[in-house]
Each structure stands twice: as structure tokens, then as C-alpha cells.
Amino acid sequence: MAPPSATLRRQLASLLVVRGSGHGRDSQRRYPRWELPNAELRRLLEQGVGGVILLGGSAEELRLRCEQLRRWAGQPLLLCADVEEGVGQRFEGASWLVPPLALGRLHGTEPGRAEQLAERYGRCTGRQARLLGLNWVLGPVCDVNNNPANPVINVRAWGDTVPAAAALAAAFVRGCQAEGVLACAKHFPGHGDTSTDSHLALPLIPHGRQRLEAVELPPFQAAIAAGVASVMTAHLQLPALDADYPATLSEPVLTGLLRRQLGFTGLVVTDALVMEAISAAYGPAEAAELAFQAGADLILMPADAEAALDGLQRAVEAGRISPERLQASLERRQRALAQGPGQASDMPLGTLLTQLEQLVSPQERQLGAELLALSLEHSGAAPLPPGPGVNLIRLDSQLNSPQLPARAPALLRPAAAGYQARLLDGHSPSPWSGDPQAPLALERLGEGPVLLQLLVRGNPFRGSAGGDEPWPAVLHQLLAAGRLAGLAVYGSPYLWQSLRPLLPPQLPAAYSPGQMPEAQALVLQRLGLEANALEGGFTD
Amino acid sequence: MAPPSATLRRQLASLLVVRGSGHGRDSQRRYPRWELPNAELRRLLEQGVGGVILLGGSAEELRLRCEQLRRWAGQPLLLCADVEEGVGQRFEGASWLVPPLALGRLHGTEPGRAEQLAERYGRCTGRQARLLGLNWVLGPVCDVNNNPANPVINVRAWGDTVPAAAALAAAFVRGCQAEGVLACAKHFPGHGDTSTDSHLALPLIPHGRQRLEAVELPPFQAAIAAGVASVMTAHLQLPALDADYPATLSEPVLTGLLRRQLGFTGLVVTDALVMEAISAAYGPAEAAELAFQAGADLILMPADAEAALDGLQRAVEAGRISPERLQASLERRQRALAQGPGQASDMPLGTLLTQLEQLVSPQERQLGAELLALSLEHSGAAPLPPGPGVNLIRLDSQLNSPQLPARAPALLRPAAAGYQARLLDGHSPSPWSGDPQAPLALERLGEGPVLLQLLVRGNPFRGSAGGDEPWPAVLHQLLAAGRLAGLAVYGSPYLWQSLRPLLPPQLPAAYSPGQMPEAQALVLQRLGLEANALEGGFTD
């Protein structure tokens, strides 16, 4: 028997996870298209919506925001964030660690050390998430990044080999959940081998079950064996498993493969249903119903929360979703909530301030430094030639860039050496000459030697970051003109690997998988640019 | 008799105001050169330093930060900020109002309405400051901006005429202090008539006492008559009053003119002693001692707090500063503190969250909208021609620009009309052709009509903002090419006044003294670009 309508709607609402800003005010939302305004968010929480995925804001703001959302809801909530690279990746002031793939690389030579570091990585992320009010970390990425052209997984993966991805994802789960915070293995059944971005279109994975069992599934199996509390679905077409539906909406994938074959008993959550891969083909009610019928417990970021609720309610009332099936999802959610801190707490302000002051522990600071040091690569001999020169920085966007605050070492250290910053992003006047042999219009940039700093992630030559920009030709051009002073690459190992062989052996060059100011400090140190008092330091 | 040394040092420390970040962590400081790291800030507060000037952070962060600083100090503090244009000018999420000069202009035609609005402006600033933990607003600017080439006062002034500046500054004081928050009349004896920026060098004001009494002093007298709690000194050379020392260090100015002639009995605070106008000529100990001897009660941002304390202590112990003089300053500080909220409060988190949710009242939101509407100027006929086109935006810096968050109307509305953003700042590849008749290298910017948006404050042709850029020639160039789609100016009325006569009457053009997203929305509305769902709205 289905419960009465009002109760049913409240139960279904608890299985929705909507998106909000970590900032307190509507005007501060970074992505207003997706982040609900406060009035709507509050109304949905009062109606029983059971989870919120948060983005944006500082550690302090997030701490207050989580408290506010729990008060609005009046019940325990699942509060989560995509903090795959430490809580500081999304919330300023917490630890922002180098991307997981750095440890995947280390695993090839020092598997034990890599696993131990991945577990500390998970502990750091879980502990800081808990202190700030989150009880659910949307990581680890369990995809094997075996396709360097992958525009969306890339350095987010824990490995480009199966053993690394499996061992390190499991280690992250152990660490995170030891702190009482739920982890989430994603994106099931494996998003590594695609060059399509599912934010834009539905990628197709042509592999059959045998290949999946050899490559894609082992990291998920390892995470499940480590007790991972949740698994997130992928928006991928896998014709060998389901001819009709993408994985997120596929019963053979979610119930057949994940629940029955892999024996997963925890929470299954969809990836964001608002993504084009789903929303271009399915309405919000249809997508929610199909996902739930396929085996998902939680519906993440429906394109329209009310419509998704309507769809689910109609499906239960019409018997297309059984009361038992609904009950099972509700119970899984309750079990998960019982594992983590979910209640609003009326702690005194003094206690809260002390907690915030202790947000980053000395051990976590040390972990961040160790990860940076082990993943640094460099060649050539410092220092750079003396300025005046040009500090040419390529980045995705200068607007509100967490990589490039005004005090970033990438700006301040070259400035102190006489190199004037020229920043290129998608909004810049063109720096290109139109000549493929000498693509940079150097006269638009300034005189003297050029320090080239590339902040590029994703695939540099086919993905979005870096676009089709001719960096190899630029290196040749600058070398031919005798104007290449040094090279710094932050982010993509594939870009670094493609450029490094083009450099003369003595030319100062360095790479870090991290793009944060601490990574810049370390890379530029290698290029002979010392710390600058204006940076303000990284300790507290 | 001087008190014993430890007591004396603690007393002197209470008269120092040092600078800290509104953010919680050292790594988040925007100006690490000036903002003390937490360890030093805490140590100084524990030693009795009595005030902090704060910059940076959101409303939520500032609220927690003020609480933290008071706990570190263990005594009531003076916590202040340069929130001349509303608390939101410095702390995201609070009200950010159009600059005062907008009301100065209104005062010429509607003095009563302008005064009433200035008082509400002061109330809004005072109330939000108090809710967030500040008890001292470093405003109003009492300088008469009678020199359009002034690079540092400009739109911050309440008037470019004496009656406007006097009446409106006094109204701001009444409003702010009615909320229990101290105001501060600055920069005594008047910083309006200079084209030198005292952050960089020491400006000279050649006027004698008679002229000062006619132009510079009346706004200060009006503020004093309104009961202003504090006056800030200017780093200006006034040879007619003091042949030796700048105003900040001048006994004839601070004691003779301000205390005796004008009868001011409140707190006298120096402008930041770290500014080049002072620090280039005087050491930190010398500057602090001279300022105190001249008549200042509080020493703001000494270049070195310990050295300033050493200097003051030596001066008292050697009898160059009398115990009575010290006692008088301590008593003035105590009296000021008694007027405002100065204690740490262990309120429950729920109360704090409710306060923060109610930070911007409906009346304050309405005030912001009214100020924007009355200061808008426009000409021509909307709409812009259809794109594809170029949205050329000039701003000081794209890095962490509060004017231009990723969701700014200045970006989103033209994008929706097919205009691609090209952003120019000091770090851009050059957009200039070198041809004075056609200065823009249009081929670097893109095809189609050009919407020109200039976010410029300070003096556009000689000051720093906008530099020597040839905007009149650019308008001629675009008009001659048939490519000028529209003009938006944000900030400087002088730039708008110089460009407006060059426009054909039908060309869509608009101006706001504000640069914030709300100002962009209003200006672009006039140019025919409607609200965009991606902006996220301005209500909460």
C-alpha cells in the first residue's frame, strides 16, 4: 500500500538532492542557473527535500550555510560537495590538494606510499568536510583515465591504470569514512574511456562486459569492498549493457550490474540530471522516474525539483514504483544519515570560532606540501634571465579565479624579477598573429624574455582548456627568437609531456599537477624565483 | 607621573589601530603587505592593541572575524573599515551604494531630498556595520572635490560644492551615529583640492587660512556640529599653517585649528601612517610620536606597530608626552567605546544566522535602488543593433573584481544579445594600434558593432584609472567605421561628461556613478538589454 499522498510526497522529497550556493545570499551565487535562490531552497527544504549539493564560498561561509540549511529543513540532511581534491578545491581556506592523478602516477613506483597518502588525502577531506558541516563527500572518482583525450575526468582520476585507480580510490574511501563522512564512488560504471564531455552530450562507451570487468569495474569493486557508502551513476550510453537507456536510467546497469552482480547495498545517487546528456532527451519527471525505477535511491539536481517530485509521486501512485522499493531507498538513506553528523547544533560562537581556527591541522598542511613536492617535475637550470621581460599566463578565466588571486606567486614573483604580466583567457584581445610558424603576436605583449606559464587542465589539444592553441609552435617561435626565458605548466601532465621534449636541456622549466598558489610557489622556486613578501605566505 | 612601564605600554597599545583582513586565514589576505598575519595580529591584541581596521571578506566572514578579534583581545576594541559607500563596498553581501558624489549632484537641485537620502545612507551603513561587528565607520569624506583632476577623492566626496559637502556629510554622521556606530570626518583639513595621490607622495595645498575657512573647513564644521565622534587627519603639506610638518604631524593643524579653533572634543585619528606621504620621510617611531604630540589620539596603521609603541613609550618616559596628554587620549577613547557595541557576545548560532539573514532590510534595498535610479543618466534610443558584436569592457583589473563577478550583467546581457566580451585591463595584450586617429586595433577584438563599457573611477585622463587612454578618439574611430553600438560609463562623471557630447543624439548611451552589478543592470536596461536569468537577481 502506498502511504497517503502528503506523507508520500514528503518521503519522495527526502530522496531529492538540490543545488545551492555555499554563499549566504542570492546575489552571490556563482551559477544562478543551477543554484536555487534562497526562497525556493527554503521552501523545498521545508517540504522535506533531503539533500543539498553546495558550491562556492569560504570555509566560514560554508560552516554557517550548512547550519542554516539544517535549520530551514528541521530534519537531518545530506549535505554534499564535489570536493574531490580536498575541501579547499571548492571552499576557500580549507586544504586544496594536488589532483588525485598525481598519486596514481606515484603508485607505479611506490604503491605502498601512494596508498598511505591517498588514505590521508581521504581523511583530510573527510575531516574538514565534517568540521564545516558537510556529511557527504562526492568522491572518489573511480574512473580509470585510460584516454588522455578525456575532457572531463583526466587529472580527477586516481589512476590511468587499473591497479592504481582501484587501490587509491579504496584508500580514499577508508580515510574519508573513518572521519564519519560518507564517500561516493563515481561515475558508475566508468567514465574514463571517453573523449565526450557528458555535461554537453551523451558519450558512448562501446565496450562489452568482459572489457568492463577488466578495466572499468575494478575500482568500483575496490571502493565497495572498502565499504563506500554511495555510488554515483554516469551519464553514458553502454549499448552492450542496455540498448535503450544511458547508465543513469538503466536497470541492467544499476540493479543488474551494481546491486546484484557487485552486491552494492549502499546509496545509489544519479549524477546531476540537469546535465545535457540527460536533460536534452528526458523531461525532469521522466528522468527522475526512470532513474528511480532503474535502481537509484537519490535524485541529484533534477532540472525541476517540483516536476521530478510530481513524476515520482505519479509513478508510486500508479504502481510503477512499488512501496517496498520506495521503503528500501528511504531506509538506505536513513542508514547513511546515521553514519554521519546530520543535526543542526546550537554550539556557542566561541566553540565554532575555535573549530574554524583549527580547520587545517599541521598534519594536513604537511600532507599538502608532501603531495606538491612528490608531484613536481622540472628540468633545466635556474635562474631565469633578468627582466624586463614578459610573464605570459594562460588560464581559463581571470574572473574570480581561485588559481590567481591578486597575490598569486605566478604574478608576484615574476613581477619582482622585472617580468610584466600578460594574461590570456577567452576574453582577451587576440594575442595571435595568424602565422602558424610564429603564432604569437609578440609586439602586443612587450619586450624582453618571455616566461610562459600555462594553467591548463583537461585535454589541452582537443578539450576545452587550452583549446586548439599552438603551444608547441609558440615554444619554437620563442626559442628561434632567443626569447624563451622559462616554462611553467600547471595541471595537465599530457601538456607537460608534449612540451618538455621541445625544450633545450638547460632551459628552466617545471610542472605541477596542482594549479593553486602553493603549486605556483614551488614551481617558480625551481625557476629561481624566490618567495615574495607580498604573497602573504601559506601558513596561519 | 608616568605609570609603570608595563601599564604604560598597554595604555599606549590601546591607542594603536592596526590592519587585518576580514577573511579568517593568512592565505586569504588580499594585501599581505599591510594586513598582519594572524599570529602577529593576535599577539598585538593580547598586548593591548586597541583597534583593527578591516578589509576583505563577505558579511558572514566579517561577522565571525570581529568576534574572533574581540576574543583575542579580551577587551572592547575599536573595529573599523573604510565603508564610505556602504558596508557592501568592502564586504560582499551587505549594501553597496552609489558613491556619495551622486547625492552631491542632487543637492544642487533638491537639497532636502539629498539630505534625507544622505541620512538614510548613513543609517544603512551604520546599522549593517553594527550587525557585522564593527563599531566605527571611517566616513564621511568631508573633502570638497573641487578639483576634477583629484585622483584619490573624486566620487568619494559628498559634494564638489561647499554647501553640498557640508550638509550631506553632516546628514551621514547623524544617520550613522543614530545606529550606535561612530563616524569619522576625513581627511582634515581637506583633501579635495589636489591632483596628487597621498598614497604615493605628499600633496601640497597652497591655500591660506581664509580660503580654508571658505572652502575646506565648512564640511568638517558641519560634521562636528552634528556630533561626529572622530576626525581623521590628511597627509597634506599646508605651508600657510605649518612650514615644517604635514597636517597629520602638525600641532598647529590638529591642536590649533581642529581642537582649539573648531572646538572638536572627540577622537583624532591619523590617516594610515604606512602611506608613502609619511613613511617615505619619517620612521615609524618618529611618525607615531610626532602625530601624538601634534594632537592625534589614535595611530592608524603604523608601518611597524612595535616600533611605534617603542617611540611613544620613550616619548612619555622622557617627558615629551605628558601623562595628562596621554590620559586625555585614553579617556577620549573610552568615551567613544562607550557609545558603541564593543564587547564579544556569546550569542547562539541560531540568533547569529537570523541576524545575518536580515542584514539588508527591505528599506535599505529600496534605498539602494532609489540612489541608483536618481543618479542614472542616459541619452539616445535603445536598443542596440543585433549581434554578433563586440562587448568591449575597460576595467582596472579582472582579478577578483567585485564589479565583475562571472554573473555580472555587463557580461551576461550583451552575451545574450550576441556580443562577445573582450576585457581590457593592465594585464591584457595590447588592443592599441599605435595610430592616434584610429587607436583601437579592431581586428584583435572581433567583428560587428561594438558596445563600449568603461568602468573608470578617479580622474580618467590623468589619474590611474583609465590612464591616458584615448577614449574620445576611440569613439570617433568607431563612429567613423559605423561600428559604435552603444556606450556605458560606470563611475566617473567627468569621463561621462567628456564623452557624451561626442555621441550622435540617437546613439544609446547611459551612465551610472555606481560600478556594482545593480548599476550595470540599470544602465544596460536603458540600452535595451533586458534582465537575464543567469544573473541570479539581486533580491534575497
Side-chain angles (χ1 to χ4, degrees), chain A residues 298-375:
Chain A
L298 301 178
I299 304 298
L300 179 66
M301 287 177 68
D304 178 332
E306 294 286 359
L309 271 180
D310 291 344
L312 290 171
Q313 184 164 1
R314 278 194 304 269
V316 175
E317 287 170 347
R320 295 195 303 275
I321 294 173
S322 72
E324 295 72 29
R325 173 68 179 80
L326 170 60
Q327 205 52 43
S329 286
L330 292 171
E331 280 167 16
R332 276 193 284 263
R333 179 174 178 276
Q334 283 306 325
R335 272 206 310 277
L337 267 179
Q339 288 176 48
Q343 304 280 356
S345 70
D346 211 351
M347 65 170 59
L349 207 41
T351 312
L352 181 137
L353 285 169
T354 305
Q355 278 190 359
L356 285 169
E357 283 176 27
Q358 294 164 358
L359 175 62
V360 181
S361 72
Q363 295 80 359
E364 288 165 348
R365 203 175 299 286
Q366 205 277 327
L367 172 67
E370 186 173 347
L371 292 171
L372 276 168
L374 72 86
S375 57

Side-chain angles (χ1 to χ4, degrees), chain B residues 245-514:
Chain B
Y245 291 110
T248 294
L249 310 181
S250 164
E251 206 200 343
V253 174
L254 301 191
T255 300
L257 181 57
L258 178 57
R259 290 245 185 259
R260 298 219 183 97
Q261 187 177 333
L262 303 191
F264 179 62
T265 58
L267 277 173
V268 176
V269 57
T270 68
D271 202 347
L273 293 186
V274 75
M275 287 160 71
E276 281 294 304
I278 298 294
S279 63
Y282 304 92
E286 188 185 13
E289 180 185 339
L290 287 171
F292 197 83
Q293 286 172 332
D297 300 301
L298 301 178
I299 304 298
L300 179 66
M301 286 177 68
D304 178 330
E306 294 288 359
L309 271 180
D310 291 343
L312 290 171
Q313 184 164 3
R314 277 194 306 268
V316 175
E317 286 169 349
R320 295 195 302 277
I321 294 174
S322 72
E324 295 72 29
R325 173 69 179 77
L326 171 60
Q327 205 52 45
S329 286
L330 293 171
E331 281 166 17
R332 276 192 283 263
R333 179 174 177 276
Q334 283 306 325
R335 272 208 306 279
L337 266 178
Q339 288 175 45
Q343 304 279 355
S345 70
D346 212 353
M347 65 170 59
L349 206 41
T351 312
L352 182 138
L353 286 169
T354 304
Q355 278 190 358
L356 285 169
E357 284 176 26
Q358 294 164 357
L359 175 61
V360 180
S361 72
Q363 294 80 359
E364 289 165 349
R365 202 176 299 286
Q366 204 277 327
L367 171 68
E370 185 173 347
L371 292 171
L372 276 169
L374 71 86
S375 57
L376 181 79
E377 299 183 27
H378 59 97
S379 62
L384 300 183
V390 177
N391 171 21
L392 187 60
I393 301 180
R394 175 66 173 95
L395 76 170
D396 284 340
S397 173
Q398 298 174 56
L399 295 171
N400 302 94
S401 158
Q403 291 84 4
L404 214 63
R407 53 163 181 82
L411 295 168
L412 295 177
R413 293 196 187 189
Y419 283 67
Q420 194 186 358
R422 291 286 171 216
L423 273 55
L424 303 183
D425 67 13
H427 289 142
S428 304
S430 170
W432 306 116
S433 66
D435 173 0
Q437 300 306 307
L440 268 186
L442 285 166
E443 73 285 1
R444 298 175 202 168
L445 304 176
E447 302 285 321
V450 177
L451 166 62
L452 189 60
Q453 299 194 75
L454 303 175
L455 282 80
V456 171
R457 274 178 66 159
N459 188 282
F461 296 106
R462 276 185 251 165
S464 62
D468 294 320
E469 293 166 1
W471 296 116
V474 165
L475 286 193
H476 286 303
Q477 174 187 11
L478 291 171
L479 284 167
R483 288 188 62 184
L484 185 62
L487 173 68
V489 175
Y490 307 99
S492 168
Y494 310 110
L495 178 61
W496 167 247
Q497 286 154 13
S498 72
L499 297 181
R500 187 176 177 169
L502 311 179
L503 300 175
Q506 78 287 0
L507 192 106
Y511 159 75
S512 174

Side-chain angles (χ1 to χ4, degrees), chain A residues 35-60:
Chain A
E35 290 155 15
L36 299 180
N38 280 324
E40 190 175 343
L41 190 53
R42 182 170 190 160
R43 187 174 52 75
L44 287 170
L45 290 172
E46 286 169 354
Q47 290 173 15
V49 161
V52 183
I53 174 172
L54 291 155
L55 188 97
S58 66
E60 283 73 14

